[in-house]
Amino acid sequence: MQERSIYLDHHSTTPLDPRVLDAMMPYLTERFGNSASRTHAFGWEAEEGVEKARAQVASLIGANAKDIVWTSGATESDNLAIKGALQFYRDRGRHIVTVATEHKAVLDSCKAFARDGLADVTVLRPRPDGILDLAAVEAAITDKTVMVSVMHANNEIGVLQPLGELGALCRSKGVLLHSDAAQSAGKIAIDVEAMQVDLLSMSSHKMYGPKGVGALYVRSKNPRVRLTPQIDGGGHERGLRSGTLNVAGVVGMGAACVIAKVEMAAEGSRLLALRERLRARLFAELDQLRVNGDLDRRLPGSLNVSFACVEGESLMMGLRELAVSSGSACSSATLEPSYVLRAIGVGEELAHSSIRFGIGRFNSEEEIDYAGGRVIAEVRRLRALSPFYKSAAAVPAGEVRR
Ligand SMILES: Cc1ncc(COP(=O)(O)O)c(C=O)c1O
């Protein structure tokens, strides 16, 4: 049979939508100006592209265009939001509340400041379904808390945190709410006003735009959020992020946001149907599976499944024609179980034998069926070799589903 490669790793990155490339092309060729050049038409033309894109990004999240700051991606946006706020508000306090399942860009930004004695960090554990308990957030907030940082959608298990409720809580306590929306922006509706979010990180390459560009929403009123810049220089982006802009990149991100906004509802339904098709088939044909994270409150195209009694590395090796992610992460030459899965109580073994399926815009039903068939065949093959299979002891009671 012909070797196939099916891309089901859309949490990691997404392909560039050809319509986004079309929007970018002029800015990679004849419209090459520096958007900060104020003295000639080349600069004005580039600036026009940048400002149009700023409005397009803002429109996706219900923000004012002037509250969008361009960055190189969500990693930089997270760093600027967290370090920038902790530095600016250091006289108010240095306490930050976050969650164990956040992306490393958030956790390590907090850790770096804690290590230097610039922050006190409370890291909350989510419930076993991956969702954060609002009461735990409320209990963690003190009069020294500057910020709560909670992601919208998780990059490994896809669960959605209750941003609106968190926003209302943080506002009532007078603390800032930052949310890493790298995975949700463009896929789930976001309204920074209704949700009362003060800072929001986004990444273009997670929504069919180019890599190396992102944005940080920084609320300018009710309340006005101030940040200490982390990159100094020519004073671009209202002094918050110096550096010549990647004009074609930001134009691409703007175009990606327009497409996402228009197509979000239809695309969400299609991806949900594909995901449920895959899940139903896996559960119909295999036993001792576990879905990681709440099934209803999640990104439509996201599914993370643990396969008991299967050796994780062998499973990934056997599925090389599928581009999926495992529940293991490479760290200094060893395979560590995913800290996200561990934080929601998945055992080490089971974490290793987990697969994250990320279904996206260009996947077809045929691809999903092929992928499902391959996973089922491979799990069956490995279980036939496993001395543990049939004992049914590898999945804790209550978590075994057929
Ligand atoms: C939740 C989350 N935050 C931040 C990032 C980092 O984004 P970027 O690649 O744009 O720096 C990612 C990407 O993996 C992510 O999934």
Side-chain angles (χ1 to χ4, degrees):
M1 202 187 97
Q2 196 190 345
E3 182 87 344
R4 300 175 55 160
S5 185
I6 297 176
Y7 191 76
L8 293 173
D9 201 17
H10 289 83
H11 303 84
S12 174
T13 194
T14 56
L16 191 70
D17 190 304
R19 295 168 290 180
V20 171
L21 180 61
D22 287 346
M24 292 171 68
M25 277 309 273
Y27 294 90
L28 289 164
T29 51
E30 72 268 22
R31 294 186 207 163
F32 60 83
N34 182 334
S35 57
S37 296
R38 294 277 149 78
T39 51
H40 52 70
F42 293 87
W44 303 331
E45 194 174 58
E47 188 190 19
E48 204 178 296
V50 165
E51 294 315 316
K52 183 175 161 199
R54 203 187 297 279
Q56 290 167 330
V57 172
S59 165
L60 182 69
I61 59 166
N64 288 322
K66 68 176 182 358
D67 294 358
I68 300 297
V69 175
W70 298 115
T71 65
S72 62
T75 299
E76 188 190 332
S77 299
D78 289 345
N79 273 261
L80 175 57
I82 291 168
K83 296 176 178 175
L86 283 169
Q87 271 180 295
F88 190 88
Y89 295 107
R90 62 177 175 263
D91 293 338
R92 191 192 278 183
R94 55 178 205 178
H95 183 228
I96 178 164
V97 178
T98 188
V99 193
T101 46
E102 291 293 309
H103 192 272
K104 288 286 184 189
V106 166
L107 293 174
D108 288 356
S109 290
C110 294
K111 216 192 269 178
F113 265 40
R115 194 182 49 225
D116 293 342
L118 301 170
D120 296 320
V121 187
T122 299
V123 181
L124 300 172
R125 239 180 115 106
R127 299 190 308 236
D129 62 6
I131 296 176
L132 190 56
D133 212 336
L134 284 174
V137 181
E138 184 162 14
I141 293 173
T142 72
D143 57 355
K144 297 285 180 232
T145 307
V146 171
M147 173 188 277
V148 169
S149 179
V150 176
M151 71 200 326
H152 192 197
N154 185 272
N155 47 301
E156 289 196 37
I157 54 177
V159 297
L160 298 170
Q161 300 294 354
L163 264 199
E165 281 106 314
L166 280 163
L169 172 64
C170 291
R171 189 62 59 85
S172 76
K173 298 277 183 186
V175 304
L176 300 177
L177 175 61
H178 165 246
S179 187
D180 178 340
Q183 292 293 338
S184 63
K187 293 166 200 138
I188 299 284
I190 297 176
D191 184 327
V192 290
E193 284 310 323
M195 291 171 158
Q196 303 184 74
V197 175
D198 301 308
L199 293 147
L200 188 113
S201 302
M202 286 174 274
S203 178
S204 155
H205 76 98
K206 308 285 188 187
M207 49 163 124
Y208 309 92
K211 293 171 183 55
V213 58
L216 179 66
Y217 161 72
V218 184
R219 177 179 291 284
S220 62
K221 61 174 198 281
N222 306 320
R224 178 181 178 199
V225 178
R226 309 289 300 277
L227 299 174
T228 300
Q230 302 299 303
I231 297 177
D232 296 308
H236 308 74
E237 300 298 288
R238 292 183 285 119
L240 278 176
R241 201 276 191 173
S242 289
T244 299
L245 288 177
N246 170 2
V247 176
V250 306
V251 165
M253 183 167 180
C257 287
V258 172
I259 296 168
K261 190 174 177 189
V262 171
E263 300 182 358
M264 189 182 294
E267 183 164 293
S269 312
R270 198 181 75 83
L271 295 183
L272 178 63
L274 289 178
R275 181 192 89 200
E276 284 303 293
R277 185 179 177 92
L278 175 63
R279 188 181 67 87
R281 175 137 181 242
L282 294 178
F283 277 78
E285 298 195 32
L286 296 170
D287 62 6
Q288 296 186 53
L289 308 186
R290 169 196 160 118
V291 170
N292 295 311
D294 188 275
L295 189 56
D296 301 319
R297 284 166 289 176
R298 69 166 56 228
L299 293 170
S302 178
L303 182 67
N304 189 310
V305 181
S306 297
F307 299 86
C309 305
V310 169
E311 212 268 306
E313 242 182 300
S314 309
L315 182 59
M316 293 309 291
M317 289 286 285
L319 294 174
R320 269 188 298 198
E321 76 270 51
L322 304 184
V324 288
S325 262
S326 78
S328 310
C330 287
S331 91
S332 59
T334 61
L335 275 185
E336 294 287 329
S338 144
Y339 68 89
V340 171
L341 295 180
R342 297 291 287 131
I344 60 165
V346 179
E348 203 165 310
E349 281 292 308
L350 213 46
H352 280 303
S353 61
S354 301
I355 295 182
R356 177 185 74 178
F357 300 94
I359 305 168
R361 181 170 293 166
F362 304 109
N363 286 132
S364 64
E365 204 171 87
E366 188 210 357
E367 287 180 317
I368 297 304
D369 289 348
Y370 179 78
R374 283 294 302 119
V375 172
I376 290 162
E378 198 57 27
V379 169
R380 283 189 180 144
R381 188 182 73 78
L382 291 169
R383 282 180 171 174
L385 305 172
S386 165
F388 303 109
Y389 186 58
K390 286 195 182 72
S391 76
V395 182
E399 289 175 359
V400 180
R401 303 193 204 174
R402 271 206 68 97

